[in-house]
Amino acid sequence: MAATGIDPGLARRVGAEARRVLASNRRTGVSEWDGMRFDFVCPSPTHYPFQWFWDSAFHAIALLQVDPELSKQELRCLMQGAQPDGFIAHMLLWEKHRSPEWLMPDYSIRLAHPFYTATIQPPVVARALERIFDATGDAAFVREILPPTARFFDWLARVRDQDGDGLVAIIQPDESGLDASPKYDAAMGISSQPPTETLPALRRSMQRLFRGYEGLSREREPQIDLFLFEDVMFNAIYADGLRALARLAAAVGLDEDYARRSRGTLDALMSKCWDEERGVFWDLAGSREERAKVLTFTSLFPLILPDLDARVARRLVNDHVLNEQEFWLPYPIPSVAASEPSFDPAWLTQTTWRGPTWVCVNWYLYWGLRQHGFADVARELARRTVAMQAHGGIREFYDPRTATGQGATSFGWSCLVLDMIAAEG
Ligand code: GLC
């Protein structure tokens, strides 16, 4: 592929807008939650006013292009939510009183505490810590943030990998961060229906799920198999995080077993999720581990792992990433392959992850492509991402055919484009 590279004028314009968003989404103050100080970037002032777990990790990476001290602050604030048993919630509600609408049943969140949720999100934080260390060489910061980060990975192994196969499970769709992805439709009892019916049906199904978990301990929740997904994206991020932890632990003189655990998760992805015939990875649903064969970007995500077999990486890229009937659309990578009946690029369902393109996905795959020798494909992906944002703004997601911006405005992790622009330099 002869990639032409990012247009410098567009990069300047998009970069400036991303910096504006990172500055204007910053939230600082003292919380009613034990008088703790908060200082973080919220995903969107109008739509998402709290601190979200994987969003914050992405914000920390984007902030490296603004001020590494802000990146550190982002993770420090997040780690104030780390619990003694290792659990870290997917949302910290620092300024809860300012957004009471979030506590209405419609929002489908389950609280473990007045100020945090009972659920998790993908552990991008280890990768963020690694990037901060690479950018600053600050070993003292690693010594500060590594222990709660590692405890969270240990919590995941203990509570969410109770079958010990190296793959951790999520127990409700939001835990992957891919809330309404059609790959969960069958498990959530959502059948094909008019687009306007999808969201109400999902909400009803979430309420049923929440009722099912009422009164159970965290250890018990995965055991009842109400919604159990060994999600390929979540596990690729988990394995990548373990890889990063191994590097960080070695850098500050700690000797831990993360490298072996990372390898174990990759081996399990290969033995349980890889489909040699189709050339993609599938999530495993339920304790019977049935393959959920809905083609979403998740199926490509092990590309982010440097140790992925080169032949497997080539198949993912050549047969799927670059396939114009699936993922290589004018503004890739769509969250659902264009070949799926559920593909909803125009956002008719008015809910998330059912077709549009998200910048955090492009960012992860950008680095995955580079590390597997597809620098030209990565460059083209970065170029189209910048062009998409020049057209659509710094939005939550985009129509992969037209680059029209959709969802929340001024959306935090879409500022990851700063990292891709810097890398393409
Ligand atoms: C939506 C996304 C989720 C994200 C949150 C805040 O719920 O699906 O992944 O963390 O918004 O941006």
Side-chain angles (χ1 to χ4, degrees), residues 34 46 75 82 150 158 184 202 261 272 289 328 379 420:
D34 296 346
T46 48
L75 297 195
R158 189 172 72 251
Y184 305 132
L202 264 169
R261 285 165 61 188
K272 292 190 156 191
E289 301 189 338
W328 203 243
R379 180 168 309 122
M420 291 188 265

Side-chain angles (χ1 to χ4, degrees), residues 43 48 52 54-55 121 177 179 353 411 413:
Y48 303 106
W52 267 261
W54 74 329
D55 297 69
Q121 264 188 340
D179 313 7
W353 302 102
F411 190 70
W413 80 38

Side-chain angles (χ1 to χ4, degrees), residues 98-350:
R98 288 182 58 176
S99 307
E101 70 282 4
W102 273 87
L103 304 174
M104 309 293 272
D106 260 9
Y107 272 82
S108 302
I109 63 171
R110 207 155 58 86
L111 292 182
H113 174 277
F115 289 91
Y116 60 81
T117 53
T119 37
I120 56 168
Q121 264 188 340
V124 180
V125 61
R127 177 76 171 261
L129 183 56
E130 182 186 36
R131 289 295 306 269
I132 293 173
F133 180 62
D134 285 343
T136 65
D138 188 344
F141 181 70
V142 173
R143 279 194 207 93
E144 177 188 339
I145 302 296
L146 186 63
T149 304
R151 274 198 296 278
F152 181 58
F153 278 78
D154 294 346
W155 183 92
L156 287 171
R158 189 172 72 251
V159 179
R160 294 306 184 82
D161 184 17
Q162 296 192 28
D163 63 1
D165 66 354
L167 300 174
V168 293
I170 58 167
I171 59 158
Q172 76 176 55
D174 291 21
E175 288 200 322
S176 65
L178 312 178
D179 313 7
S181 172
K183 66 189 189 162
Y184 305 132
D185 280 1
M188 292 295 278
I190 312 283
S191 47
S192 71
Q193 52 202 342
T196 48
E197 273 307 302
T198 302
L199 187 54
L202 264 169
R203 285 188 170 145
R204 284 193 298 274
S205 195
M206 285 289 267
Q207 294 308 323
R208 266 199 307 279
L209 209 51
F210 289 1
R211 280 197 297 279
Y213 289 131
E214 254 166 41
L216 300 185
S217 69
R218 293 220 178 89
E219 283 69 18
R220 183 82 186 113
E221 284 169 348
Q223 296 168 2
I224 62 170
D225 200 2
L226 266 190
F227 175 97
L228 200 70
F229 252 76
E230 290 176 325
D231 186 291
V232 169
M233 183 201 74
F234 196 110
N235 278 285
I237 291 175
Y238 176 66
D240 179 59
L242 289 166
R243 177 205 55 74
L245 290 185
R247 256 197 79 206
L248 291 166
V252 297
L254 293 174
D255 181 21
E256 295 288 353
D257 205 13
Y258 303 115
R260 186 192 55 81
R261 285 165 61 188
S262 175
R263 185 75 228 175
T265 300
L266 174 54
D267 288 347
L269 283 167
M270 281 310 300
S271 64
K272 292 190 156 191
C273 305
W274 171 246
D275 178 341
E276 179 63 32
E277 199 181 316
R278 292 282 300 275
V280 291
F281 291 83
W282 301 115
D283 294 349
L284 306 177
S287 55
R288 292 174 52 205
E289 301 189 338
E290 282 167 20
R291 291 180 167 193
K293 295 191 174 176
V294 177
L295 191 60
T296 71
F297 73 89
T298 292
S299 291
L300 316 173
F301 230 69
L303 257 183
I304 74 167
L305 300 172
D307 290 341
L308 182 72
D309 182 80
R311 185 188 65 88
V312 171
R314 259 197 315 279
R315 281 199 70 190
L316 290 173
V317 176
N318 293 332
D319 298 355
H320 301 286
V321 172
L322 293 174
N323 182 336
E324 294 183 353
Q325 311 306 316
E326 295 179 354
F327 294 104
W328 203 243
L329 302 189
Y331 299 96
I333 304 289
S335 41
V336 176
S339 52
E340 285 290 336
S342 55
F343 177 60
D344 174 28
W347 194 35
L348 299 177
T349 48
Q350 291 282 300

